Amino acid sequence: MYDFKAIESKWRKYWEEQGVYKTPVEPDPRKKFYLLEMFAYPSGDLHIGHFRNYTVGDAFWRYQKMKGSDLLHPFGWDAFGLPAEEAAIKQKLHPRDWTGKNISTSRQTLKDLAISYDWDREVITYTPEYYKWTQWVFLQLYKKGLAYQADSSVNWCPSCKTVLANEQVDSENKCWRCHSEVAKRNLRQWFFKITAYAQKLLDGIDKLEHWPENIKAMQRYWIGRSEGVEIEFKVQGSKSNVSVFTTRPDTIYGVTFMAIAPEHPLVSQLTTSEQKSRVEEYVKKAAAKTEIDRAATGEKDGVFTGSFAVNPLSGEQVQLWVADYVLLHYGTGVVMGVPAHDQRDFLFAKKYNIPVKVVIRPADRQTDRPADQMTEAFTDEGTMVNSGSFNGLVSTEGIRKISEHIEKQRLGTRKTYYRLKDWLLSRQRYWGAPIPMVHCPKCGVQPVPEKDLPVLLPEVKDYIPKGRSPLADEPSFINTKCPKCNGPTQRDPDTMDTFVCSSWYHLRYADPRNDKEPFGKDAVNKWLPVDLYIGGAEHACGHLIYFRFITKVLCDLGYLKFDEPVRRLFNHGMVLDEKGEVMSKSKGNVTSPREIMEEYGVDAGRVAMFFAAPSEAEILWSKNGLVGAQRFLNRVYQLVSGIATLPNDDVRDTRRIASLSEMEELYCRKHRTIKQVTEDIEALHYNTALSALMELVNHIYEIKTLLKHPTRAADYAAFKGIIRKTAERVVLLLSPLAPHLCEEMWQMLGNKESVLKAPWPQYNPSALKLKQVELAVQINGKVRSRITVPTDSAEEDVKKVALADEKVKEMLKGAAPKKVIVIPGRLVNIVS
RNA sequence: GCCGAAGUGGCGGAAUGGCAGACGCUGGGGACUUAAAAUCCCCUGGCCGCAAGGUCGUGAGGGUUCAACUCCCUCCUUCGGCACCA
């Protein structure tokens, strides 16, 4: 067994001393490659999921390096945020100390694993040198009118005592961190107007050719564009109108009621005195429920306001109800109820005996089904009926015609809504970047001038949250002077969501030590966009939207020449335990990279991880794979040890060779392997790259065994050269996957320089084919025989050989085949 | 419910219209060894057969094709995401 401890520490030190990870100062624009893995949240040491993420990236880095790319491969720490604060409170440490300790531990692990990061470019989001520019980003958005304050009913976690973003509340209305029930609360909060970029973010998705389809689909859905019409309904006996948004104007003749959200400001106005107490009671009840509670039951309930509205097209009078299935913050907060063609409206109407009026007839029916026989709404397309002059139109056509009609008659306008909501970024917590704003009693809200950044996060005695930011209780921080009038004023006490910190870090890496600007324009446009971004898919609708947004804003402001941060996104799969469960400290089923490294070595750990599945697939981690990986690596090592001393003969000198076909086969296999490994590494399918290498190694062993036979001593001499060359290729092709051992073997083969400086092997396309090829011969789709023909045989010749085959003749019994299909290089199928 | 991905031996997986199960793990047998470990060689989807060979087989059912794990239709299951978005 190779001495992995000695070999790995030797080469780890070598790479470090040689500075191979350093980023070139002036990258060649044609060769630049920015490889990025999602930076880490430093909670304890790295786990096996990190190990996968970073080794997948590292292998790609080594491959790119050999291809001659100028690489930027940085790393950093997303170190602000709740978990650090929670852990710090528990352990009575300052969050900075807790986080800092974890960073040192994890950084050392990454170095021990020899992950190819340029540590000179490390960033840590909690350092003033970094968050100074996070604050700068905030100010740019503020200047552009993209940061605003608003009172808002927010998700409030009573246990963490903070506001949560929508993404931080799970489907059961529980806090993402502590899993306690999330409540509602009204607070004055800062928002980024990401909705102003909804369309740009959506359009941009189409240009993201090398992003996984599922992430793009999730983002499209999250942005949620829908086109429709906003229509005014007159309220009977009142001057006011209610407007509704609908994507189905073709069903407008089927409106039999209207429903308004309980929180809607119009509710009190629309409620008649007879209904007042009932409505007020309902509104109160609804307010106590969260949106998730309301949706969970599936129950549709509401209360009649006593008022009526008039359908602008049919002139029919419809009841106005309050119903909590209507969302205040989508569309106009009012919906037109079409029970026959919307399932929610249907349930509501059935419950309260509201009429159901059919206006769309399914295409496969001639007559209308009586509305009282319907058991559910008909929501598909169909033909319009009971719709005045629009009868007979197909619904898609009807949507267009009615929309036109409504606009012409000035009854409403076409409109597009998005489900994307603005980004709430205020956090009432200590451990974050302070929001660089002041609230002057005279001048109102004022930005802190850029020259006064950073607004330093002060040391506080007590950062335990009490329902407002601990910064509010720190006089030295909160009291300041107004930048406009110089009078006494107060700072905004809140800190920023950590997603703000991570929304621009990819830019900072291009120029991480710049203390004059967040990044030099030149540096950032030279290195970005990121060429390959590797991380988990859990950020699909969080970070991966936010950083696209910030990139677009900074592009519009003229700082960047690109408006998408990442060319190719790759989501690696999760690492689960043998039972398929998520590894966690509480379950006690975690495996640490350090354990693997010490017991089996870094290379064996990598190979085991890579071989288990393609990088995007989920892995059930078990120690079995490590043994196999070690066995394979040792097999390669033994092979190379045995031939390291062989002469490097000229391969093409075949005069002495007895078995030309064996020689040719090895040569062909070598080139096929180069092709496959290259393509597989490009796709991050390291599992099949490894299996191709295993096959080649097995083949070399086979040949060596054959040549041991006494009668073949002369052949052995002739084979030495090509075996050696093939082994060299194996070492190069394997080196991104098992770098330490391959450096060692490369040196054993007499090379003076690092394997990283060797060029990536190229294959010769003409060497991919053998002179002879074996074809399967099928009769009626079943393999019955095999024939060997020259590779470039004409179809006719192949047919002849196949039909002349003894087994074929026997099966056909002299009958002429109906058809013979020849697939060159693959098979012959005889149809009889 | 909607969107997305997936379903292949005892296990991880390979093959994206052309010989299903590559490669590896596990298991079995053998060689070497005083012995063990390591290493090397052979076998390892089911059924029938002494064997040659035959036959079934990629979640289920249909279809297209000379040929389907692969394409089309219907359905089932699992995972991920979203979830009253009018």
Side-chain angles (χ1 to χ4, degrees):
Chain A
M1 179 60 65
Y2 67 98
D3 183 353
F4 65 82
K5 282 205 173 142
I7 291 174
E8 290 180 357
S9 79
K10 169 180 164 188
W11 292 104
R12 184 174 66 239
K13 277 183 206 131
Y14 174 84
W15 292 322
E16 220 173 287
E17 284 162 15
Q18 296 287 310
V20 296
Y21 309 135
K22 295 235 185 304
T23 312
V25 187
E26 272 306 323
D28 179 337
R30 289 160 304 177
K31 295 200 298 185
K32 79 94 183 171
F33 198 98
Y34 183 177
L35 172 64
L36 184 60
E37 286 106 58
M38 289 180 186
F39 64 174
Y41 195 91
S43 55
D45 198 357
L46 302 175
H47 57 70
I48 195 153
H50 293 114
F51 177 70
R52 188 178 196 191
N53 193 166
Y54 308 141
T55 50
V56 163
D58 181 73
F60 204 83
W61 181 89
R62 289 173 190 276
Y63 162 69
Q64 282 295 334
K65 184 85 178 169
M66 290 171 77
K67 287 218 324 181
S69 295
D70 286 341
L71 284 142
L72 169 58
H73 191 208
F75 198 70
W77 309 94
D78 188 15
F80 266 142
L82 273 174
E85 206 175 287
E86 298 294 337
I89 290 166
K90 234 183 242 168
Q91 301 183 24
K92 297 197 164 47
L93 282 167
H94 192 283
R96 187 192 300 111
D97 297 335
W98 184 81
T99 316
K101 194 183 79 195
N102 293 333
I103 290 175
S104 322
T105 311
S106 304
R107 187 198 289 121
Q108 193 53 49
T109 302
L110 289 170
K111 287 186 177 178
D112 291 346
L113 292 168
I115 307 291
S116 47
Y117 295 130
D118 179 355
W119 289 104
D120 295 347
R121 294 194 177 228
E122 181 185 34
V123 301
I124 303 177
T125 57
Y126 70 58
T127 59
E129 297 77 42
Y130 184 87
Y131 72 68
K132 170 178 181 176
W133 304 114
T134 305
Q135 293 170 337
W136 176 90
V137 168
F138 179 97
L139 291 177
Q140 304 316 303
L141 273 89
Y142 179 77
K143 278 197 280 187
K144 187 112 199 278
L146 291 169
Y148 67 94
Q149 262 191 311
D151 269 335
S152 150
S153 164
V154 292
N155 301 307
W156 175 261
C157 174
S159 164
C160 303
K161 297 199 167 86
T162 190
V163 169
L164 300 170
N166 286 334
E167 299 81 67
Q168 294 167 342
V169 180
D170 69 17
S171 57
E172 279 158 9
N173 198 39
K174 302 273 163 67
C175 171
W176 67 314
R177 189 50 56 190
C178 69
H179 304 289
S180 28
E181 187 83 17
V182 172
K184 289 279 165 192
R185 211 185 212 209
N186 264 315
L187 278 178
R188 192 136 183 92
Q189 308 274 325
W190 281 102
F191 289 84
F192 281 156
K193 208 189 251 173
I194 191 169
T195 52
Y197 275 70
Q199 192 57 49
K200 282 188 179 180
L201 287 166
L202 191 61
D203 292 341
I205 294 174
D206 298 332
K207 289 186 284 173
L208 299 175
E209 263 180 81
H210 304 291
W211 278 45
E213 277 311 315
N214 63 330
I215 300 288
K216 293 200 275 185
M218 280 187 221
Q219 292 207 354
R220 282 197 188 98
Y221 190 77
W222 191 258
I223 294 166
R225 178 189 164 101
S226 65
E227 284 169 49
V229 204
E230 207 169 291
I231 308 168
E232 301 277 329
F233 280 60
K234 284 208 159 56
V235 178
Q236 248 177 10
S238 150
K239 277 181 193 151
S240 57
N241 288 343
V242 275
S243 58
V244 296
F245 173 68
T246 180
T247 53
R248 291 295 302 272
D250 57 320
T251 64
I252 192 163
Y253 283 86
V255 174
T256 54
F257 70 98
M258 300 189 76
I260 182 164
E263 310 86 345
H264 201 289
L266 279 177
V267 168
S268 55
Q269 223 179 297
L270 294 169
T271 304
T272 59
S273 46
E274 305 88 72
Q275 290 294 97
K276 194 165 183 251
S277 62
R278 262 169 270 183
V279 170
E280 277 175 357
E281 196 195 326
Y282 182 81
V283 169
K284 218 168 114 188
K285 210 178 76 200
K289 288 195 278 183
T290 62
E291 272 184 18
I292 287 103
D293 276 341
R294 294 185 196 178
T297 60
E299 186 79 3
K300 308 280 171 276
D301 61 14
V303 61
F304 181 42
T305 59
S307 298
F308 293 86
V310 179
N311 187 324
L313 264 76
S314 68
E316 286 167 350
Q317 174 190 305
V318 293
Q319 303 172 359
L320 253 162
W321 287 66
V322 177
D324 71 3
Y325 76 89
V326 181
L327 303 174
L328 178 68
H329 292 292
Y330 188 77
T332 61
V334 187
V335 300
M336 58 181 217
V338 187
H341 306 293
D342 181 286
Q343 185 58 20
R344 295 153 299 183
D345 297 346
F346 183 82
L347 293 173
F348 191 80
K350 283 286 170 193
K351 182 167 176 141
Y352 296 108
N353 277 319
I354 295 168
V356 177
K357 186 182 168 195
V358 174
V359 293
I360 305 288
R361 181 192 291 162
D364 58 358
R365 291 175 77 96
Q366 291 306 309
T367 53
D368 298 337
R369 181 167 32 180
D372 55 11
Q373 281 178 22
M374 290 176 84
T375 53
E376 57 179 11
F378 175 72
T379 55
D380 294 346
E381 283 177 15
T383 312
M384 292 176 67
V385 293
N386 300 321
S387 298
S389 59
F390 298 96
N391 282 342
L393 290 177
V394 180
S395 21
T396 43
E397 180 79 350
I399 289 172
R400 204 169 53 80
K401 286 268 165 65
I402 293 203
S403 305
E404 277 167 15
H405 177 79
I406 286 168
E407 284 199 321
K408 222 186 249 165
Q409 301 296 312
R410 296 176 186 274
L411 301 168
T413 48
R414 269 184 251 232
K415 213 149 176 185
T416 300
Y417 276 98
Y418 300 88
R419 54 197 303 160
L420 185 70
K421 292 196 182 88
D422 277 339
W423 174 6
L424 195 167
L425 61 108
S426 303
R427 294 290 180 274
Q428 292 68 50
R429 299 290 294 224
Y430 170 71
W431 193 233
I435 293 174
M437 301 294 288
V438 301
H439 300 269
C440 176
K442 266 196 233 156
C443 318
V445 177
Q446 291 295 323
V448 172
E450 282 176 30
K451 66 174 173 52
D452 296 339
L453 297 181
V455 175
L456 283 173
L457 184 66
E459 297 300 315
V460 296
K461 284 193 193 74
D462 185 6
Y463 43 76
I464 293 169
K466 298 177 184 68
R468 59 171 178 167
S469 170
L471 298 184
D473 300 317
E474 185 52 48
S476 66
F477 173 82
I478 203 79
N479 297 318
T480 186
K481 281 180 184 162
C482 173
K484 199 170 176 194
C485 68
N486 213 29
T489 185
Q490 294 214 313
R491 292 188 187 279
D492 194 292
D494 291 350
T495 54
M496 285 187 241
D497 179 9
T498 50
F499 280 113
V500 182
C501 307
S502 58
S503 68
W504 74 281
Y505 81 114
H506 56 300
L507 306 171
R508 182 66 178 171
Y509 282 138
D511 193 12
R513 302 290 168 258
N514 193 330
D515 56 2
K516 307 276 186 304
E517 330 159 83
F519 43 79
K521 241 186 186 179
D522 190 44
V524 84
N525 288 312
K526 207 155 35 184
W527 281 111
L528 279 99
V530 173
D531 293 280
L532 174 60
Y533 192 33
I534 306 174
E538 66 273 17
H539 296 289
C541 297
H543 164 65
L544 290 174
I545 286 189
Y546 294 141
F547 89 141
R548 290 185 57 221
F549 166 57
I550 296 297
T551 303
K552 283 182 185 300
V553 172
L554 293 176
C555 174
D556 286 350
L557 287 169
Y559 292 103
L560 311 174
K561 286 187 183 150
F562 50 92
D563 70 344
E564 284 292 344
V566 166
R567 285 211 180 98
R568 177 179 179 197
L569 174 70
F570 189 91
N571 298 119
H572 67 266
M574 294 212 294
V575 183
L576 306 173
D577 73 1
E578 280 165 278
K579 290 177 215 147
E581 285 172 42
V582 181
M583 294 194 192
S584 70
K585 279 181 196 156
S586 55
K587 282 190 195 145
N589 57 355
V590 285
T591 313
S592 82
R594 205 159 266 289
E595 249 171 66
I596 296 168
M597 185 170 78
E598 277 155 20
E599 257 186 82
Y600 298 89
V602 177
D603 287 340
R606 290 167 65 113
V607 167
M609 179 70 80
F610 295 152
F611 191 59
S615 305
E616 69 272 21
E618 167 183 289
I619 283 181
L620 307 186
W621 180 255
S622 83
K623 282 198 169 178
N624 291 344
L626 287 163
V627 181
Q630 225 175 23
R631 205 175 282 166
F632 166 64
L633 290 177
N634 197 47
R635 217 167 128 78
V636 181
Y637 181 75
Q638 296 304 333
L639 177 71
V640 172
S641 311
I643 59 178
T645 50
L646 292 180
N648 198 356
D649 292 350
D650 188 339
V651 184
R652 274 151 297 191
D653 181 12
T654 55
R655 280 164 301 179
R656 295 175 296 169
I657 290 151
S659 175
L660 200 61
S661 64
E662 280 172 0
M663 182 79 109
E664 192 208 341
E665 187 180 354
L666 180 56
Y667 185 67
C668 170
R669 279 182 183 248
K670 182 180 81 176
H671 285 274
R672 284 184 183 175
T673 306
I674 294 171
K675 181 171 190 276
Q676 172 149 18
V677 170
T678 306
E679 288 168 2
D680 286 342
I681 290 185
E682 283 285 350
L684 286 83
H685 287 174
Y686 303 148
N687 58 331
T688 41
L690 279 164
S691 71
L693 285 165
M694 286 171 180
E695 280 180 271
L696 185 57
V697 169
N698 289 348
H699 186 71
I700 300 174
Y701 267 95
E702 263 167 49
I703 286 189
K704 285 190 74 181
T705 309
L706 283 177
L707 297 179
K708 268 186 200 154
H709 196 272
T711 59
R712 307 219 36 198
D715 295 349
Y716 183 62
F719 260 98
K720 274 182 183 170
I722 180 160
I723 288 182
R724 192 198 157 90
K725 278 230 158 121
T726 309
E728 278 177 6
R729 292 295 174 268
V730 168
V731 170
L732 292 175
L733 294 172
L734 182 60
S735 71
L737 307 174
H740 305 83
L741 183 63
C742 288
E743 282 283 15
E744 181 71 17
M745 293 189 293
W746 192 239
Q747 193 182 53
M748 279 161 54
L749 287 166
N751 297 286
K752 297 276 176 285
E753 288 218 275
S754 165
V755 72
L756 290 165
K757 294 204 172 155
W760 186 251
Q762 300 293 308
Y763 64 90
N764 175 359
S766 62
L768 298 174
K769 280 185 190 168
L770 286 165
K771 290 197 183 69
Q772 300 263 312
V773 66
E774 192 189 62
L775 303 182
V777 181
Q778 296 183 330
I779 295 177
N780 294 328
K782 297 204 176 192
V783 180
R784 298 297 180 181
S785 187
R786 296 179 178 279
I787 54 171
T788 303
V789 296
T791 304
D792 303 318
S793 306
E795 261 190 45
E796 280 309 311
D797 298 336
V798 176
K799 270 187 200 176
K800 271 181 209 154
V801 177
L803 290 170
D805 182 80
E806 283 307 319
K807 279 187 197 154
V808 171
K809 280 205 270 190
E810 197 186 309
M811 299 280 297
L812 288 177
K813 291 182 182 124
K818 279 187 198 147
K819 204 173 176 184
V820 180
I821 292 135
V822 177
I823 308 297
R826 300 256 184 200
L827 53 69
V828 181
N829 191 10
I830 299 167
V831 187
S832 67

